[in-house]
Amino acid sequence: MTAPHTPSPRKAFGRLSLPERSYVADALRTETVGGVLLLLAAVAALIWANVPGLHDSYESVSHFHFGPEALGLNLSVAHWAADGLLAVFFFVAGIELKRELVAGDLRDPKAAALPVVAALCGMAVPALVYTLTSGAGGGSLAGWAVPTATDIAFALAVLAVIGTSLPSALRAFLLTLAVVDDLFAILIIAVFFTDDLNFAALGGAVAGLAVFWLLLRKGVRGWYVYVPLALVVWALMYNSGIHATIAGVAMGLMLRCHRREDEEHSPGEHIEHLVRPLSAGLAVPLFALFSAGVAISGGALADVFTQPETLGVVLGLVVGKTLGIFGGTWLTARFTRASLSDDLAWADVFAVATLAGIGFTVSLLIGELAFEDDAVMTDSVKAAVLAGSLIATAVATVLLKIRNAKYRRLTEEEERDEDLSGVPDVYEQDDPAYHLRMAEIHERKAAEHRRLAREKAAERDALAEVTGGAGEERNGPA
């Protein structure tokens, strides 16, 4: 009797499919550039806010109000950055989430389990760490959501700076983590940071979203239609009492992200490709510029580690994120019988989990919302987010540097294209045409080596004849 077939265990962090790898590489390339700009903006904000001669101008610019008062939109520059520009960031996040659900890793429940459980644990454990730390010290529990977010752009900027070539599977895991993270951050903002609702404005926003959806389904094209409509929906959502960034993610989720037979890219992918540079290169850095400008001094830094709220944020980011993501990943792999990829070790997963402790953009936003009536605590929490992110960066840098040579070899293997087909060789191992091309290449190389061997042999024989003749003359009679 034939033995029953036992399916091979699923590999966690296995090699991505070629289309998924191409998409991830393109997305991460833009996010990395945006992350470097984000780092520069954060440094500029800290300098601007802490140099004595510049501090007053930073406060003046941040609190300068403009906008139509009649529409309830006479906002400060910092407010426009947080509620307006970040709507672009969340619009891109909505498209990313939609694409993951219909064409990416999240469409397969088995493959989605790993990043989703890891992301959920990576949000629950930091919130628990904050609650326990702040509660034990008699502090406020209002900031429980601050350390739950991961900043993918900041994390990728760190990778770019330290020169770590993470394999594409680990980078995709980090990206998917951040997408799920953003989704739950949006839900947290919508549920826990919405006070009084203006139902008339909310109804108008919902109606605008319905028109947006209908125009998409009818195939109407033209930015001059959608951009004005998006601005109206955003303004109504802002006046409804729900955080205006929710409008951005709602519109992003409405875009179609699956390709039809005659399409090279879906509408969602095309729009994301156009808007992502605006989000990563302008919206998020400007938000950082007007949110990260907190006064830093020796006393302020000491307070970060003594106040229960700020200590909770630091420990939530550094300890909670790492333990939550690593623990969620290990438990998922353990109970779904998924084995780790042969090229990776659990130390690699731990390093990426540490890297996910870099919380910046969304953490700063939630910090502003959680303590909006307490300006001093808001600045303290921002300082704690910066401190926690820097500590997570330092720890992740050390851990990733230890394995950097291994990562570089894996990346080189993923990118090798010896037959110059434009497709990495690892994706062509089952293609007979690839092996025929490689055979032809090796045959040409073999023929070249045979020719060189004949030439070198002929040169050696000629040299031997010359050397031998000279020796005979020297040995003859004088």
Side-chain angles (χ1 to χ4, degrees):
M1 294 179 63
T2 304
H5 173 68
T6 303
S8 58
R10 185 171 54 85
K11 292 289 185 182
F13 304 103
R15 186 175 294 119
L16 301 177
S17 65
L18 185 59
E20 186 71 8
R21 180 181 181 275
S22 301
Y23 169 80
V24 168
D26 183 58
L28 295 183
R29 193 177 301 113
T30 305
E31 290 288 0
T32 301
V33 174
V36 173
L37 294 176
L38 176 62
L39 285 173
L40 295 175
V43 171
L46 290 171
I47 294 173
W48 193 1
N50 286 277
V51 173
L54 300 176
H55 174 75
D56 291 341
S57 65
Y58 181 81
E59 292 295 320
S60 299
V61 173
S62 296
H63 294 99
F64 177 76
H65 281 65
F66 67 97
E69 180 68 43
L71 299 178
L73 296 175
N74 185 26
L75 310 177
S76 68
V77 171
H79 207 163
W80 276 110
D83 284 47
L85 291 177
L86 276 196
V88 179
F89 167 79
F90 279 106
F91 174 69
V92 174
I95 299 175
E96 287 177 340
L97 178 61
K98 179 67 174 291
R99 187 201 164 276
E100 289 291 332
L101 289 170
V102 302
D105 287 343
L106 300 184
R107 75 183 187 279
D108 179 6
K110 291 182 180 179
L114 187 67
V116 169
V117 172
L120 286 173
C121 293
M123 298 185 80
V125 176
L128 180 61
V129 169
Y130 174 91
T131 302
L132 293 175
T133 304
S134 187
S140 171
L141 301 183
W144 64 269
V146 174
T148 60
T150 293
D151 194 308
I152 184 65
F154 210 134
L156 292 172
V158 170
L159 287 177
V161 170
I162 67 177
T164 298
S165 302
L166 272 186
S168 58
L170 283 176
R171 287 179 178 260
F173 175 67
L174 189 60
L175 178 62
T176 307
L177 264 180
V179 170
V180 179
D181 214 288
D182 288 341
L183 167 65
F184 287 102
I186 291 161
L187 293 176
I188 287 172
I189 291 171
V191 174
F192 295 99
F193 297 103
T194 296
D195 298 323
D196 298 328
L197 287 177
N198 181 330
F199 287 99
L202 181 58
V206 172
L209 289 172
V211 172
F212 189 89
W213 180 84
L214 185 62
L215 292 174
L216 288 173
R217 291 300 170 272
K218 294 293 184 181
V220 176
R221 298 187 176 185
W223 65 267
Y224 46 83
V225 175
Y226 291 102
V227 172
L229 178 58
L231 292 174
V232 170
V233 171
W234 175 86
L236 288 168
M237 189 69 76
Y238 175 82
N239 282 287
S240 73
I242 296 177
H243 201 269
T245 53
I246 304 300
V249 74
M251 287 184 280
L253 286 169
M254 289 182 180
L255 294 176
R256 178 170 61 81
C257 291
H258 63 273
R259 302 177 189 176
R260 293 174 178 165
E261 291 184 0
D262 59 339
E263 292 179 335
E264 184 177 355
H265 301 288
S266 68
E269 290 173 324
H270 176 66
I271 293 172
E272 181 189 10
H273 182 73
L274 295 175
V275 179
R276 185 187 287 277
L278 175 64
S279 169
L282 181 66
V284 174
L286 281 178
F287 168 75
L289 182 63
F290 293 107
S291 291
V294 295
I296 300 295
S297 64
L301 289 175
D303 289 343
V304 166
F305 298 97
T306 56
Q307 289 181 303
E309 296 90 347
T310 51
L311 181 60
V313 170
V314 172
L315 292 179
L317 288 171
V318 177
V319 179
K321 270 289 181 184
T322 303
L323 295 181
I325 292 173
F326 180 79
T329 304
W330 185 86
L331 288 172
T332 304
R334 172 70 176 80
F335 290 104
T336 60
R337 297 182 180 179
S339 61
L340 198 64
S341 173
D342 296 336
D343 296 324
L344 300 173
W346 282 108
D348 303 312
V349 182
F350 188 86
V352 171
T354 305
L355 188 66
I358 300 175
F360 194 76
T361 306
V362 180
S363 290
L364 291 176
L365 175 62
I366 294 177
E368 291 180 355
L369 297 174
F371 298 100
E372 61 181 347
D373 297 327
D374 188 344
V376 175
M377 182 55 70
T378 298
D379 284 347
S380 297
V381 167
K382 287 182 179 180
V385 170
L386 293 173
S389 298
L390 287 175
I391 294 171
T393 297
V395 175
T397 299
V398 172
L399 295 177
L400 291 170
K401 279 292 187 181
I402 293 172
R403 297 270 290 172
N404 200 32
K406 175 70 173 179
Y407 298 148
R408 194 178 298 114
R409 287 195 298 271
L410 291 175
T411 303
E412 290 172 355
E413 181 67 24
E414 286 181 356
E415 295 176 352
R416 185 177 294 115
D417 182 19
E418 289 190 74
D419 64 338
L420 303 178
S421 65
V423 177
D425 294 340
V426 293
Y427 292 98
E428 297 187 299
Q429 297 302 311
D430 295 329
D431 183 6
Y434 161 76
H435 293 286
L436 290 175
R437 288 194 298 272
M438 289 304 299
E440 185 178 345
I441 290 171
H442 287 303
E443 285 166 3
R444 285 200 302 268
K445 288 182 178 180
E448 178 66 14
H449 283 297
R450 292 189 191 98
R451 183 186 65 79
L452 290 172
R454 288 193 297 269
E455 288 181 359
K456 297 301 179 184
E459 290 174 4
R460 187 177 60 188
D461 292 343
L463 182 60
E465 288 179 6
V466 171
T467 304
E472 289 174 4
E473 289 180 4
R474 285 196 298 270
N475 293 330

